[in-house]
Amino acid sequence: MVDYRQIITIEPGKRGGKPCIRGMRIAVGDILSWLASGMTMDEIISDFPELTKDDIYASLAFAAHKENHLRIAA
């Protein structure tokens, strides 16, 4: 399993502080949206050759971690 903490970066001045891939301007949310729209990993990497499969797996792991730690205020 990919350790997303080694890949996902958050910089206040970049993309409004959204989690991004390795300091690039490609946000985790971008990757999740592309996957949700039906793009395959290979299609994403073809469109954005600076990305790797590990970057995509890190985005999924980051989202899973956030989902598993979601709390609803009562």
Side-chain angles (χ1 to χ4, degrees):
M1 181 174 199
V2 174
D3 182 1
Y4 72 83
R5 294 170 296 179
Q6 302 300 315
I7 296 173
I8 306 299
T9 58
I10 299 174
E11 300 175 44
K14 190 173 283 177
R15 295 291 305 264
K18 292 181 181 179
C20 292
I21 303 298
R22 294 182 283 113
M24 294 187 279
R25 298 191 61 79
I26 299 173
V28 169
D30 297 333
I31 292 173
L32 296 174
S33 293
W34 298 328
L35 290 169
S37 74
M39 287 181 78
T40 66
M41 284 191 191
D42 290 334
E43 289 171 331
I44 293 169
I45 292 168
S46 176
D47 286 352
F48 300 92
E50 63 270 36
L51 292 176
T52 67
K53 285 189 177 184
D54 280 349
D55 295 333
I56 297 170
Y57 285 125
S59 296
L60 291 168
F62 180 85
H65 178 86
K66 291 296 184 185
E67 171 63 22
N68 287 329
H69 292 87
L70 181 66
R71 300 284 188 255
I72 305 293

